[in-house]
Amino acid sequence: MNICDIQQKLRKFAEDRNWHQFHSPKNLSMALTAEAAELLEIFQWLTEEQSKEIVNSEKDMAAVREEIADVFIYLARLADKLNIDIEKEVIAKIALNEKKYPVELSKDNAVKYNKR
């Protein structure tokens, strides 16, 4: 997936419809939150096991895929409007998390580590 290509397609889509006037960072972040809530709504009343078994329902998975796409679209538009390189920032965040949460301190490894 080329995020820049997707952002360019989304930018053109918005330009062709004169939607730039509505795509402020505030509005895009609000739309992103609304779409994330729609994704959450699919899982809201499911048990942990039911949430894992959703992959067996084509109807439910179609809804999940659509909402994930909507979340990504608004996130990509927001990053584009703010000139944020998503790929660069994700890689930087992963590196930060690797330092912040070293493997040897993870829950499963901590149990093994403490038994030595």
Side-chain angles (χ1 to χ4, degrees):
M1 170 189 326
N2 185 317
I3 296 172
C4 290
D5 286 348
I6 291 170
Q7 286 176 309
Q8 185 176 15
K9 287 178 184 178
L10 293 170
R11 190 179 316 120
K12 181 169 179 359
F13 185 89
E15 285 172 359
D16 290 349
R17 289 153 182 82
N18 196 27
W19 287 357
H20 278 290
Q21 61 184 317
F22 307 115
H23 287 190
S24 67
K26 177 193 78 69
N27 288 349
L28 290 168
S29 63
M30 290 171 62
L32 171 61
T33 301
E35 293 300 338
E38 289 179 18
L39 176 61
L40 173 64
E41 187 176 30
I42 296 168
F43 295 96
Q44 184 174 7
W45 302 112
L46 301 181
T47 65
E48 291 293 321
E49 190 58 34
Q50 288 170 327
S51 73
K52 294 173 188 175
E53 293 298 318
I54 202 167
V55 296
N56 298 319
S57 168
E58 182 52 39
K59 178 184 173 196
D60 291 336
M61 283 302 296
V64 169
R65 286 191 296 270
E66 186 174 324
E67 296 308 332
I68 286 175
D70 285 341
V71 168
F72 184 82
I73 286 168
Y74 280 113
L75 181 62
R77 284 293 294 141
L78 178 60
D80 187 41
K81 281 292 200 174
L82 296 173
N83 296 316
I84 294 172
D85 182 331
I86 294 176
E87 186 175 359
K88 176 184 168 190
E89 296 306 324
V90 167
I91 290 168
K93 184 61 176 180
I94 290 169
L96 179 65
N97 285 345
E98 286 173 342
K99 290 177 185 171
K100 195 173 178 181
Y101 307 106
V103 173
E104 60 272 8
L105 296 181
S106 71
K107 184 176 179 181
D108 293 338
N109 288 329
V111 172
K112 294 175 194 174
Y113 184 77
N114 288 332
K115 289 183 180 180
R116 291 185 189 171

